[in-house]
């Protein structure tokens, strides 16, 4: 990802957003584990020993980080090519968005979404997609408020906590 920034927290109360660095590995790993919830996770709760946040499939250049004015990591968004195919190069997919519990309701998720869209436009991307669990009402409302529309539903795609949960596919076009 290229550099993407929002107004600094010291001026607006909205966090700053910047590209991830390798040094973010530990704080992002901690945030990711703390933010784990059956509301959005399809994998079991992480248990020690924890692997790194960044690896060959999860690179720093695919992640934007939200931070407070003092540098405290508040959240992240991962935006990647959905496939390695050249014919799909114009699309990016959100494959991770997490906000620290203490930072929720402060516009962190919205700032990350907007920064990711801005960064995608700079890369020449014309479309962004994502997948969200059907019962994750807060995330679905945020995505809809930022222009994402439901483009498909895979009914009962996951069996979580003893019930079947839909996998909702959402997407939006970006300005050219």
């Amino acid at each position: 990802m290229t550099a993407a920034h929002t107004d600094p927290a010291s001026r607006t109360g909205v966090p700053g957003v910047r590209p991830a660095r390798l040094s973010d590995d530990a704080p992002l790993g901690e945030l990711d584990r703390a933010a784990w919830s059956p509301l959005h996770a399809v994998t079991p709760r992480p248990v020690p020993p924890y692997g790194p946040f960044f690896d060959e499939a999860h690179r720093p250049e695919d992640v934007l980080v939200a931070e407070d004015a003092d540098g405290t990591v508040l959240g992240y968004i991962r935006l990647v090519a959905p496939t390695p195919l050249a014919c799909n190069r114009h699309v990016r997919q959100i494959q991770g968005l997490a906000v620290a519990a203490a930072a929720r309701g402060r516009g962190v998720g919205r700032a990350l979404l907007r920064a990711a869209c801005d960064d995608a436009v700079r890369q020449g991307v014309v479309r962004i997609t994502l997948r969200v669990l059907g019962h994750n009402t807060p995330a679905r409302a945020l995505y809809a408020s930022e222009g994402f529309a439901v483009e498909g539903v895979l009914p009962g795609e996951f069996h979580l906590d003893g019930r079947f949960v839909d996998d909702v596919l959402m997407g939006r076009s970006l300005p050219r």
Side-chain angles (χ1 to χ4, degrees), residues 116-139:
C117 289
D118 290 347
D119 197 55
V121 168
R122 281 191 292 279
Q123 294 177 38
V125 171
V126 298
R127 182 168 159 64
I128 293 185
T129 63
L130 61 88
R131 297 169 69 170
V132 60
L133 294 176
H135 65 244
N136 192 343
T137 306

Side-chain angles (χ1 to χ4, degrees), residues 6-37:
T6 60
D7 292 331
S10 60
R11 290 194 318 223
T12 65
V14 175
V17 178
R18 61 166 174 78
R21 303 182 283 256
L22 277 174
S23 60
D24 293 320
D25 188 82
L28 288 175
E30 289 173 26
L31 182 144
D32 206 41
R33 291 186 295 275
W36 184 95
S37 165

Side-chain angles (χ1 to χ4, degrees), residues 60-73:
E61 54 266 28
D62 297 330
V63 176
L64 293 174
V65 174
E67 62 183 11
D68 251 338
D70 67 1
T72 301
V73 171

Side-chain angles (χ1 to χ4, degrees), residues 114-175:
R114 289 179 178 176
C117 289
D118 290 347
D119 197 55
V121 168
R122 281 191 292 279
Q123 294 177 38
V125 171
V126 298
R127 182 168 159 64
I128 293 185
T129 63
L130 61 88
R131 297 169 69 170
V132 60
L133 294 176
H135 65 244
N136 192 343
T137 306
R140 290 180 64 184
L142 172 62
Y143 298 139
S145 74
E146 288 297 316
F148 287 82
V150 173
E151 298 180 340
V153 176
L154 301 174
E157 186 73 2
F158 299 104
H159 190 257
L160 304 170
D161 286 339
R163 68 184 189 138
F164 293 100
V165 179
D166 296 347
D167 187 10
V168 179
L169 313 174
M170 299 181 79
R172 68 166 281 193
S173 296
L174 296 172

